[in-house]
Amino acid sequence: MEKLLNQLRYIKVAAVCMFFALCGNLFKGDALVSWYSQLKLPSFTLPALYFFAMGFVFYIICGIVLYKLFSEEKSKNETFVLIAMVICMMAYYTIWDLVFFGLKSPMAGLVAYIPFTLLVFYIFYRVARLYPVVAIAFLPFIGWLGYAFFWLMSLYLLNKS
Protein backbone atom coordinates (compact mmCIF):
# COMPACT_ATOMS: atom_id res chain seq x y z
CA MET A 1 0.00 0.00 0.00
CA GLU A 2 2.85 2.39 0.84
CA LYS A 3 4.38 1.75 -2.59
CA LEU A 4 1.11 2.68 -4.28
CA LEU A 5 0.84 5.88 -2.21
CA ASN A 6 4.40 6.75 -3.15
CA GLN A 7 3.64 6.28 -6.84
CA LEU A 8 0.52 8.42 -6.54
CA ARG A 9 2.59 11.19 -4.92
CA TYR A 10 5.03 11.09 -7.84
CA ILE A 11 2.18 11.27 -10.33
CA LYS A 12 0.50 14.14 -8.45
CA VAL A 13 3.73 16.11 -8.21
CA ALA A 14 4.64 15.50 -11.86
CA ALA A 15 1.16 16.51 -13.03
CA VAL A 16 1.18 19.78 -11.06
CA CYS A 17 4.68 20.73 -12.23
CA MET A 18 4.02 19.80 -15.87
CA PHE A 19 0.76 21.77 -15.87
CA PHE A 20 2.53 24.99 -14.90
CA ALA A 21 5.48 24.35 -17.21
CA LEU A 22 3.16 23.81 -20.18
CA CYS A 23 1.12 26.91 -19.37
CA GLY A 24 4.29 29.01 -19.17
CA ASN A 25 5.39 27.79 -22.58
CA LEU A 26 1.96 28.51 -24.05
CA PHE A 27 2.16 32.09 -22.78
CA LYS A 28 5.45 32.62 -24.60
CA GLY A 29 3.69 32.00 -27.88
CA ASP A 30 5.68 33.29 -30.84
CA ALA A 31 7.20 36.12 -28.78
CA LEU A 32 10.54 34.30 -28.54
CA VAL A 33 10.92 34.55 -32.29
CA SER A 34 8.97 37.70 -33.12
CA TRP A 35 9.87 39.95 -30.18
CA TYR A 36 12.66 38.61 -27.97
CA SER A 37 15.00 37.97 -30.90
CA GLN A 38 14.73 41.68 -31.82
CA LEU A 39 15.83 42.98 -28.40
CA LYS A 40 19.27 44.33 -27.63
CA LEU A 41 20.67 41.76 -25.21
CA PRO A 42 23.17 42.41 -22.42
CA SER A 43 26.72 41.29 -23.21
CA PHE A 44 26.52 38.67 -20.44
CA THR A 45 23.40 37.00 -21.87
CA LEU A 46 23.69 33.25 -21.71
CA PRO A 47 22.50 31.08 -24.61
CA ALA A 48 18.75 30.38 -24.58
CA LEU A 49 19.44 26.78 -23.62
CA TYR A 50 20.52 27.97 -20.14
CA PHE A 51 17.24 29.81 -19.64
CA PHE A 52 15.28 26.69 -20.60
CA ALA A 53 17.53 24.55 -18.38
CA MET A 54 16.91 26.80 -15.36
CA GLY A 55 13.18 26.65 -16.00
CA PHE A 56 13.49 22.87 -15.97
CA VAL A 57 15.56 23.03 -12.76
CA PHE A 58 12.91 25.29 -11.21
CA TYR A 59 10.18 22.70 -11.80
CA ILE A 60 12.44 19.89 -10.54
CA ILE A 61 13.01 21.89 -7.34
CA CYS A 62 9.28 22.47 -6.97
CA GLY A 63 8.71 18.76 -7.53
CA ILE A 64 11.22 17.80 -4.84
CA VAL A 65 9.67 20.18 -2.35
CA LEU A 66 6.10 19.16 -3.19
CA TYR A 67 6.94 15.47 -2.97
CA LYS A 68 8.44 15.98 0.49
CA LEU A 69 5.43 18.01 1.59
CA PHE A 70 2.92 15.48 0.19
CA SER A 71 4.84 12.74 2.05
CA GLU A 72 4.83 14.60 5.36
CA GLU A 73 2.55 13.51 8.14
CA LYS A 74 3.51 16.02 10.83
CA SER A 75 2.45 19.63 11.07
CA LYS A 76 -0.46 19.33 8.65
CA ASN A 77 -1.33 23.04 8.78
CA GLU A 78 2.24 24.16 8.03
CA THR A 79 2.50 21.52 5.30
CA PHE A 80 -0.74 22.66 3.67
CA VAL A 81 0.40 26.30 3.73
CA LEU A 82 3.75 25.40 2.14
CA ILE A 83 2.07 23.28 -0.56
CA ALA A 84 -0.17 26.23 -1.40
CA MET A 85 2.82 28.60 -1.44
CA VAL A 86 4.85 26.36 -3.78
CA ILE A 87 1.86 26.08 -6.12
CA CYS A 88 1.48 29.88 -5.99
CA MET A 89 5.20 30.21 -6.77
CA MET A 90 4.79 28.02 -9.86
CA ALA A 91 1.71 29.99 -10.89
CA TYR A 92 3.62 33.25 -10.46
CA TYR A 93 6.50 31.89 -12.56
CA THR A 94 3.95 31.10 -15.27
CA ILE A 95 2.35 34.53 -14.94
CA TRP A 96 5.79 36.11 -15.29
CA ASP A 97 6.07 34.49 -18.73
CA LEU A 98 2.72 36.03 -19.62
CA VAL A 99 3.80 39.47 -18.36
CA PHE A 100 7.25 39.48 -20.00
CA PHE A 101 6.46 37.73 -23.28
CA GLY A 102 2.73 38.52 -23.50
CA LEU A 103 3.16 42.25 -22.89
CA LYS A 104 6.51 42.19 -24.71
CA SER A 105 7.95 44.47 -22.06
CA PRO A 106 11.32 44.19 -20.30
CA MET A 107 10.10 46.78 -17.79
CA ALA A 108 6.97 44.77 -16.94
CA GLY A 109 9.13 41.66 -16.66
CA LEU A 110 11.48 43.40 -14.25
CA VAL A 111 8.65 44.82 -12.13
CA ALA A 112 6.93 41.40 -11.96
CA TYR A 113 10.23 39.70 -11.17
CA ILE A 114 10.80 41.48 -7.86
CA PRO A 115 7.76 40.09 -5.97
CA PHE A 116 8.46 36.65 -7.48
CA THR A 117 12.00 36.73 -6.09
CA LEU A 118 10.74 37.78 -2.66
CA LEU A 119 8.23 34.91 -2.73
CA VAL A 120 10.99 32.42 -3.62
CA PHE A 121 13.16 33.65 -0.76
CA TYR A 122 10.26 33.46 1.68
CA ILE A 123 9.40 29.90 0.63
CA PHE A 124 13.08 28.96 0.85
CA TYR A 125 13.15 30.34 4.41
CA ARG A 126 10.01 28.41 5.41
CA VAL A 127 11.20 25.17 3.84
CA ALA A 128 14.70 25.56 5.36
CA ARG A 129 13.20 25.87 8.84
CA LEU A 130 11.33 22.57 8.51
CA TYR A 131 13.46 20.58 6.06
CA PRO A 132 17.02 21.92 5.84
CA VAL A 133 18.17 19.12 3.52
CA VAL A 134 15.28 19.73 1.09
CA ALA A 135 16.02 23.47 1.13
CA ILE A 136 19.41 22.73 -0.43
CA ALA A 137 17.52 22.00 -3.66
CA PHE A 138 16.65 25.72 -3.85
CA LEU A 139 20.26 26.91 -3.92
CA PRO A 140 20.92 26.61 -7.68
CA PHE A 141 17.75 28.55 -8.44
CA ILE A 142 18.52 31.21 -5.84
CA GLY A 143 21.88 31.73 -7.54
CA TRP A 144 20.06 32.01 -10.85
CA LEU A 145 17.72 34.66 -9.41
CA GLY A 146 20.71 36.95 -8.80
CA TYR A 147 21.91 36.57 -12.39
CA ALA A 148 18.37 37.00 -13.74
CA PHE A 149 17.80 40.22 -11.80
CA PHE A 150 20.89 41.90 -13.26
CA TRP A 151 20.11 40.48 -16.69
CA LEU A 152 16.53 41.85 -16.61
CA MET A 153 17.73 45.22 -15.33
CA SER A 154 20.28 45.43 -18.15
CA LEU A 155 17.75 44.24 -20.72
CA TYR A 156 15.36 46.98 -19.63
CA LEU A 157 18.07 49.68 -19.73
CA LEU A 158 19.25 48.58 -23.18
CA ASN A 159 15.74 48.55 -24.64
CA LYS A 160 13.87 51.39 -22.94
CA SER A 161 12.39 53.78 -25.44
Side-chain angles (χ1 to χ4, degrees), residues 3 15 28 36 40 46 73 76-77 96 109 145 151:
K3 186 175 180 179
K28 284 181 182 86
Y36 178 79
K40 294 178 224 156
L46 296 170
E73 294 298 322
K76 292 266 188 206
N77 192 37
W96 183 88
L145 290 174
W151 182 83

Side-chain angles (χ1 to χ4, degrees), residues 5-74:
L5 285 174
N6 228 14
Q7 290 172 338
L8 289 174
R9 284 184 202 112
Y10 280 124
I11 291 168
K12 188 174 9 176
V13 165
V16 169
C17 292
M18 287 193 315
F19 170 77
F20 286 108
L22 289 172
C23 287
N25 283 321
L26 288 174
F27 290 149
K28 284 181 182 86
D30 70 338
L32 268 174
V33 176
S34 65
W35 172 71
Y36 178 79
S37 63
Q38 306 302 314
L39 293 173
K40 294 178 224 156
L41 301 176
S43 61
F44 58 93
T45 299
L46 296 170
L49 181 61
Y50 287 90
F51 288 86
F52 292 119
M54 282 314 297
F56 182 75
V57 167
F58 171 75
Y59 289 111
I60 294 293
I61 293 166
C62 291
I64 291 168
V65 172
L66 284 174
Y67 181 80
K68 176 63 178 170
L69 294 171
F70 285 141
S71 302
E72 197 57 43
E73 294 298 322
K74 63 180 181 184

Side-chain angles (χ1 to χ4, degrees), residues 69-88:
L69 294 171
F70 285 141
S71 302
E72 197 57 43
E73 294 298 322
K74 63 180 181 184
S75 185
K76 292 266 188 206
N77 192 37
E78 179 76 10
T79 301
F80 178 77
V81 168
L82 277 171
I83 289 170
M85 290 177 78
V86 171
I87 290 171
C88 286

Side-chain angles (χ1 to χ4, degrees), residues 69-139:
L69 294 171
F70 285 141
S71 302
E72 197 57 43
E73 294 298 322
K74 63 180 181 184
S75 185
K76 292 266 188 206
N77 192 37
E78 179 76 10
T79 301
F80 178 77
V81 168
L82 277 171
I83 289 170
M85 290 177 78
V86 171
I87 290 171
C88 286
M89 180 174 66
M90 288 190 291
Y92 199 118
Y93 194 71
T94 300
I95 290 167
W96 183 88
D97 280 333
L98 179 61
V99 169
F100 182 72
F101 290 104
L103 297 178
K104 298 178 179 167
S105 169
M107 183 183 77
L110 179 61
V111 169
Y113 181 80
I114 294 167
F116 172 73
T117 301
L118 295 174
L119 178 62
V120 171
F121 278 106
Y122 183 68
I123 292 170
F124 170 74
Y125 167 75
R126 297 272 302 257
V127 169
R129 277 190 15 233
L130 292 174
Y131 314 106
V133 173
V134 175
I136 292 170
F138 271 92
L139 295 179

